[in-house]
Every structure is written in C-alpha cells, then in structure tokens.
C-alpha cells in the first residue's frame, strides 16, 4: 500500500524568489494545511500533487493594493482577470468609494452613483449584481466573511459612505462637517479598523466630477476633518493607512509639490503611512514626477511617512466615438452629436461637409485639459477591424493618408461600425521617464484600478507587465527587486505579516511563472458583466499556476473552480 502523502503540494526544482529582494535560490517548496512547510533544499516524502517547477520561478502571490473590485466580489467569484495574472490578494474601497456603511436608500443611491461616475462602472451592473443586504460596517464585514471567492481580499473605509452616513445626502458632497459630525465619522472609522479595515481612503482630485457634475466629499471637506480622521487612524489597530487620490494629481509640477506638504501634515497627524497616488509622469512636464519622488524621499522622517504609489504602465483611457469618452468631450460638435442621438448623430455629422469642417477647426485648437493636451500624436488607435492601424497614433496615420485627424477618426468609426477604440495617453507616455519612477527607491507599485474604467483601461495586468517590460525587456528592475515590490513590500505596508514572503510557517499564497514568457496579450472585449455589460480585459501568458491559502487557484491563468480566498485582517 502506498504511504499517505505528507504534503498537499510540492514544487520540485523551482527557481525561488522569496519576496525579500534577496538573491534567487533553487530547490523544492512544500505546502501543507495552507502554509509553507519547507522552502528550499530537497523535500523528502510525497505530496497529493507534485509540480515540476524546473525553469520556472516560484514567488509569493502578487498583492494588488489599489483595486475597485468591491462590487465584483458579489458577481465574479473568480475576480477575473486579476486572478489570471498571479494576483492572490486584492485591496478594495480605494479613492473613497466603498459599499458601506449604507444607512439609507438615499445614501445607497449616492454611493452607487459616485462609484459609477468616477470609476466608470455602469450603475446598472452595480444595481443588478450587488445585493446590498447590509447596513452598517459590522454587517458588511460579516457579509464579506461569507463570500466564496478565489482571491483573498481586504478593505479600506471609504470617505464617500462615511460622509453619507453622518452628513446625509446631499450634505456629504455640499458642505463641511461640524465638530460633532467629525467626531461621529471618527467613531465609525475606528469601528472599521477594529473590524479589520486597513485604513481610510479619499479622493481630493481637482477636476474629478461627482454624479451630475457635483463636487466630491474629499473636495468639499475641511482640512480639520481629514486631520482628525488621520489622528483616529494613529490611535487604532492595524496599519492605519491614510490613502488618497491627491488634489493635484492632474495638475502641474508646482501644485503637486505644494500638495506634498499637505500629505506630510496628514502623516504627522497619524504617525502612520500616507499612501498617495497614483504618481504619474506628466507628458507636458517630463521629469516632474521624479522630482516629486525625490522630494518625498527627502522629507521622510520618523513617524512622517508619505508613500508614493506609482503606476508602471502608460495611463490612457479608451473611448468609442459614439460614447462621451475623454477624447469626445474635448470636441464640442462631436460631443453634441453623441449626447444628442449617439451613433446616428455621429453619422449625420460625418455626412455634413460643414460639420466636418467645424470639427477640423475644433481639433486644431483643443484647449489643453487634464485628459487631452490637444496633441494628436498622443492619441492612438487601440482597437479596430481595419488592417494596419492598431497601435499607431492619429497624427502619423492622418499624415500617411493626407487627411485631418478628425476626419480619420470619423472614417475609422464608420468603417468599424463604431467598434473603433482610440486612447489618449494622459500620463506616463515617456517610457524612459516611467523607468525613473519604477527604479526610484521611494516607489511603491500599485494603481492597477482593477474593476474600474471597464471600457477604458486594462491596467489590472500591471504585475505581469512589470515582469515582462521592466524586468525582461528594459532590465530596469532585477527579478528579485520586482517580485519584492509586488509582494513583500506590499505585505509589509498593508500589515500582512503572515504572507507576502516565502518562509516556512507563512500562508501559502504563491505564483509560478515562466520568466522568459510572461507577458500580456491583446486586449479583448467580453460581455460578462451583470445586465449584459461589456468590458475590456487583457490576457496573459506565462503564468503557470497560482495558489491561494495552499489551494491551487489557477492553472495557465484559468480558474480551477476552487474558492480558497477569504477576507484578510492585519496580522502584526
């Protein structure tokens, strides 16, 4: 009779990158009862499953600190496509947008509208897919504990529902809070951290509109409110992170530098890290982000820690010509056609010579704005049924054809029956400048926005892109450093002392990948959201397996059907 297996999993002959940033080692790794039983050397005995890991890298599972997957937890148990990229833990409720507390129907409608407006998640999907069978923070946390999902998840306390619970609607987004209301928000925040929330999040971005063009809670609140909430974090359990999309995110260098002083005041008030981001390089101010990173690093001192969260990818938002996306909003006559009768309005515009001439005049004189600087070489065709156009910028394409960029836009849209997708490169357009951010000693990788901008952005593949582009293609990061930035550094910041590294006794969250093949592939559309919603997803190759809490979660990027994920609480 065969002896009983001593382990659940053994990876044989792996290239071990342990998440510390230390040297690569080789050997076997054994998993038992959800934990790492042995890391390195030869593992004797047998396992229920043995994996030939020769020529493959075994690393801690990737931790995504900046997602908007709050709603997806309730309709997509596999949390795709994040799970296909080797991610094993996600953090939700970033930028102030969260699903609890929700103490009234009016507040619920506002939370849904705010999340939909800013993060571009269709309201109908949220209304259809999220049960909202909770009210306060304890009932929400209990509901999260019941979920059967593929990935681990943890949450922040969002500013939007916090204000809606205390100030009501419309007070949440129209006025400053009284001292008593600030105290009430502080009590709710403390309750949240005692339930395991990692901290607090807000959106102060100047230029971000709320529902119907209204202000956002983080834009109307007073400094005293946020300083008081920061102090609550400093007195509470867990990492007590204060995370924010900062006011000057879309502004010039001077404003961004001035904003840093505010972040330092918040950090001083809490004594805990203030996570600011995303930090992008501005195409119109190359190098400005690196200067800001240098100043952030130079300003660090005991109990005043500002963490700049960077994106490793070009930041662009896709749009079709029959919907009011970023580029369409910059061209008044096109925007009027879209908001009037949609595709029919655009077809009518295209058939009218004078309307086309007006659009050309608008395209030649676009006022610089946070989403489009008027440069057509910064607008690229990202999806088209026409040959030879994908990946090219409109300035080059229109010059090749001897026509105006706006005429090219219309012609492509009509030829593709409006399936054409173009993208404005808003930030991180210079690969060499992004390389400086990626290699900066103060950098914390994040800003995937997974779950948000579902028809406009696919940065949830950031971990795969980092290994593909910044390690293999550009050699800006070593493999060891990149893995540490995606795993151990994240776990340390988020308060997950029980995972993020390959050490015996820690949680067995793992990713097995081929360092020579790992890469993103072509973006595609899928119709898999509630209420027949559509979204963009990016596929990946080279991710051979992921393991969550000791259970094989994916193989070749595809879910195994297991549901080992759970809500994580900070572990000291």
């Amino acid at each position: 009779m065969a002896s009983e297996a001593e382990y659940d999993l053994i990876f044989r002959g792996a290239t071990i990158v342990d998440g510390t940033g230390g040297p690569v080692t080789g050997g076997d790794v054994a998993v038992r009862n959800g934990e790492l039983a042995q890391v390195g050397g030869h593992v004797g005995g047998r396992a229920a499953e043995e994996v030939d890991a020769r020529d493959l890298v075994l690393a801690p599972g990737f931790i995504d600190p900046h997602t908007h997957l709050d709603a997806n937890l309730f309709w997509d148990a596999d949390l795709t496509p994040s799970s296909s990229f080797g991610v094993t833990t996600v953090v939700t409720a970033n930028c102030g947008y969260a699903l609890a507390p929700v103490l009234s129907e009016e507040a619920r409608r506002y939370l849904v509208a705010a999340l939909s407006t800013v993060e571009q998640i269709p309201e109908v999907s949220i209304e259809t897919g999220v049960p909202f069978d909770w009210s306060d923070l304890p009932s929400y946390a209990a509901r999260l504990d019941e979920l059967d999902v593929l990935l681990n998840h943890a949450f922040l306390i969002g500013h939007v529902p916090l204000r809606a619970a205390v100030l009501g609607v419309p007070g949440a987004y129209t006025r400053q809070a009284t001292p008593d209301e600030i105290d009430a928000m502080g009590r709710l925040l403390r309750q949240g951290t005692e339930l395991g929330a990692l901290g607090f999040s807000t959106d102060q971005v100047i230029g971000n509109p709320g529902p119907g063009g209204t202000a956002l809670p983080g834009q109307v609140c007073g400094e005293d409110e946020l300083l008081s909430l920061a102090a609550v974090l400093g007195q509470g359990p867990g990492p007590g992170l204060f995370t924010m999309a900062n006011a000057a995110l879309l502004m010039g260098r001077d404003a961004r530098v001035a904003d840093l002083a505010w972040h330092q005041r918040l950090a001083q008030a809490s004594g805990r890290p203030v996570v600011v981001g995303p930090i992008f390089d501005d195409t119109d101010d190359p190098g400005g982000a690196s200067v800001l990173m240098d100043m952030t690093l130079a300003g660090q001192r005991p109990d005043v820690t500002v963490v700049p969260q960077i994106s490793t990818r070009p930041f662009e938002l896709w749009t079709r010509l029959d919907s009011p996306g970023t580029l369409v909003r910059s061209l008044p006559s096109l925007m009027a056609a879209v908001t009037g009768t949609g595709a029919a309005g655009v077809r009518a515009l295209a058939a009218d010579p004078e309307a086309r001439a007006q659009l050309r005049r608008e395209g030649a004189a676009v006022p610089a704005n946070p989403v489009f600087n008027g440069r057509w070489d910064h607008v690229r065709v990202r999806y088209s049924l026409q040959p030879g156009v994908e990946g090219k910028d409109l300035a080059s394409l229109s010059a090749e054809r001897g026509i105006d960029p706006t005429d090219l836009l219309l012609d492509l849209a009509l030829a593709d029956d409006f399936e054409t997708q173009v993208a404005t490169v808003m930030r991180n357009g210079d690969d060499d400048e992004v390389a400086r951010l990626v290699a900066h000693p103060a950098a914390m990788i994040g800003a995937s926005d997974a779950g948000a901008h579902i028809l406009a952005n696919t940065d949830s593949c950031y971990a795969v892109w980092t290994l593909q582009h910044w390690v293999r293609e550009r050699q800006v990061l070593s493999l060891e450093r990149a893995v540490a930035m995606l795993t151990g550094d994240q776990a340390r910041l988020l308060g997950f002392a029980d995972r993020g590294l390959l050490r015996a006794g820690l949680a067995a969250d793992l990713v097995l990948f081929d360092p020579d093949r790992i890469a993103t592939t072509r973006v595609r559309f899928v119709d898999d959201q509630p209420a027949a919603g559509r979204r963009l997803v990016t596929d990946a190759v080279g991710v051979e397996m992921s393991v969550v809490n000791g259970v094989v979660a994916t193989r070749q990027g595809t879910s195994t059907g297991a549901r080992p994920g759970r809500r994580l609480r900070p572990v000291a």
Side-chain angles (χ1 to χ4, degrees):
M1 178 182 294
S3 61
E4 186 175 342
E6 300 172 49
Y7 303 101
D8 301 314
L9 278 168
I10 297 177
F11 294 88
R12 297 287 187 189
T15 299
I16 300 171
V17 182
D18 67 5
T20 66
V24 171
T25 60
D28 300 344
V29 173
V31 174
R32 180 170 52 210
N33 297 330
E35 295 182 349
L36 294 165
Q38 181 177 327
V39 177
H42 173 71
V43 175
R46 298 173 56 254
E49 179 178 356
E50 299 204 4
V51 179
D52 182 356
R54 289 174 296 178
D55 300 321
L56 300 176
V57 169
L58 187 66
F62 305 137
I63 299 172
D64 187 341
H66 190 114
T67 83
H68 294 281
L69 292 167
D70 311 61
N72 301 59
L73 283 165
F74 295 93
W75 71 60
D76 179 9
D78 290 330
L79 291 173
T80 57
S82 293
S83 57
S84 69
F85 302 138
V87 171
T88 56
T89 296
V90 299
V91 178
T92 64
N94 279 278
C95 302
Y97 305 105
L99 301 179
V102 54
L103 305 183
S104 69
E105 176 59 20
E106 190 175 38
R108 188 196 68 79
R109 288 195 299 268
Y110 176 62
L111 303 190
V112 171
L115 181 60
S116 176
T117 299
V118 179
E119 302 303 339
Q120 297 181 308
I121 306 167
E123 281 194 45
V124 66
S125 294
I126 303 172
E127 293 283 9
T128 304
V130 178
F132 283 104
D133 50 358
W134 57 82
S135 56
D136 54 12
L137 287 169
S139 59
Y140 179 62
R143 187 68 172 84
L144 293 178
D145 289 335
E146 296 172 354
L147 293 176
D148 291 322
V149 293
L150 191 68
L151 302 184
N152 297 318
H153 51 99
F155 71 99
L156 298 159
I157 301 299
H159 199 190
V160 171
L162 203 63
R163 274 193 138 238
V166 174
L167 279 71
V169 177
Y173 57 85
T174 57
R175 66 175 178 85
Q176 294 191 3
T178 67
D180 286 346
E181 288 168 336
I182 292 172
D183 289 345
M185 283 187 275
R187 289 192 294 273
L188 284 175
L189 178 57
R190 178 59 183 260
Q191 181 185 53
T193 57
E194 289 175 347
L195 289 165
L198 306 183
F200 170 80
S201 70
T202 189
D203 178 353
Q204 292 200 290
V205 179
I206 295 172
N208 256 6
T214 59
L216 295 170
Q219 296 166 344
V220 301
C221 68
E223 289 186 354
D224 57 338
E225 176 178 323
L226 294 182
L227 290 168
S228 178
L229 294 176
V232 170
L233 292 171
Q235 299 160 5
L241 302 177
F242 191 112
T243 73
M244 65 190 311
N246 56 302
L249 176 66
L250 300 177
M251 301 176 72
R253 184 184 301 196
D254 290 346
R256 295 166 80 189
V257 169
D259 217 12
L260 175 59
W262 167 234
H263 309 151
Q264 292 167 334
R265 287 177 62 199
L266 289 166
Q268 186 170 24
S270 71
R272 307 289 182 91
V274 171
V275 182
V276 179
I279 303 298
F280 291 124
D281 186 70
D282 187 343
T283 308
D284 295 326
D285 179 27
S290 292
V291 170
L292 182 63
M293 298 278 282
D294 289 341
M295 294 181 65
T296 302
L297 184 61
Q300 309 290 40
R301 55 189 189 273
D303 297 326
V304 180
T305 302
V306 177
V307 179
Q309 188 179 81
I310 68 161
S311 169
T312 65
R313 289 172 53 79
F315 183 69
E316 53 186 44
L317 293 177
W318 293 28
T319 187
R320 296 162 54 108
L321 251 65
D322 60 349
S323 62
T326 53
L327 182 60
V328 171
R329 291 199 299 269
S330 298
L331 301 166
S333 59
L334 183 58
M335 181 65 173
V338 169
T339 55
T341 53
V346 179
R347 289 185 192 279
L349 185 156
D352 182 341
E354 179 49 40
R356 276 190 180 247
Q358 173 60 24
L359 189 62
R360 290 186 207 110
R361 289 190 288 271
E362 293 171 2
V366 174
N369 61 70
V371 297
F372 180 41
N373 60 8
R375 290 180 53 177
W376 291 99
D377 59 327
H378 289 176
V379 182
R380 294 186 178 273
V381 181
R382 288 306 188 200
Y383 185 88
S384 175
L385 304 177
Q386 308 309 303
V389 299
E390 280 191 7
K392 294 186 177 181
D393 68 86
L394 264 63
S396 299
L397 275 174
S398 59
E400 289 174 10
R401 301 186 182 194
I403 60 176
D404 190 83
T406 59
D407 287 311
L408 178 62
L409 270 178
L410 293 172
D411 293 347
L412 285 175
L414 295 177
D416 284 341
D417 195 23
F418 292 95
E419 290 299 309
T420 311
Q421 294 269 350
V422 296
T424 54
V425 181
M426 293 173 57
R427 299 291 187 274
N428 279 9
D430 185 325
D431 207 48
D432 290 334
E433 290 296 342
V434 180
R436 294 175 64 189
L437 300 183
V438 169
H440 199 284
M444 180 65 70
I445 290 177
S448 87
D449 259 3
H453 312 297
I454 65 170
L455 288 174
N457 184 271
T458 60
D459 286 351
S460 58
C461 63
Y462 77 103
V464 169
W465 174 254
T466 298
L467 296 168
Q468 168 195 343
H469 189 63
W470 298 115
V471 175
R472 187 174 69 241
E473 296 172 348
R474 290 292 309 270
Q475 299 180 17
V476 169
L477 296 175
S478 68
L479 177 62
E480 299 95 322
R481 181 68 194 122
V483 168
M485 293 176 81
L486 296 168
T487 61
D489 289 359
Q490 303 291 344
R492 185 167 56 253
L493 176 68
L494 298 170
F496 298 146
D498 60 338
R499 63 195 69 231
L501 302 174
L502 299 189
R503 287 181 181 165
L506 296 190
D509 289 350
L510 308 168
V511 58
L512 184 70
F513 64 90
D514 184 339
D516 297 323
R517 292 180 57 245
I518 192 166
T520 60
T521 60
R522 187 172 187 255
V523 172
R524 60 190 173 93
F525 292 96
V526 294
D527 298 310
D528 65 353
Q529 300 296 278
R534 176 180 249 201
R535 62 174 174 155
L536 283 169
V537 297
T538 299
D539 296 323
V541 295
V543 180
E544 302 300 320
M545 179 183 289
S546 66
V547 176
V548 176
N549 294 317
V551 176
V552 177
T554 67
R555 299 181 192 272
Q556 287 78 50
T558 300
S559 169
T560 62
R563 299 287 181 262
R566 61 182 177 85
R567 180 169 75 90
L568 299 184
R569 297 161 178 78
V571 174

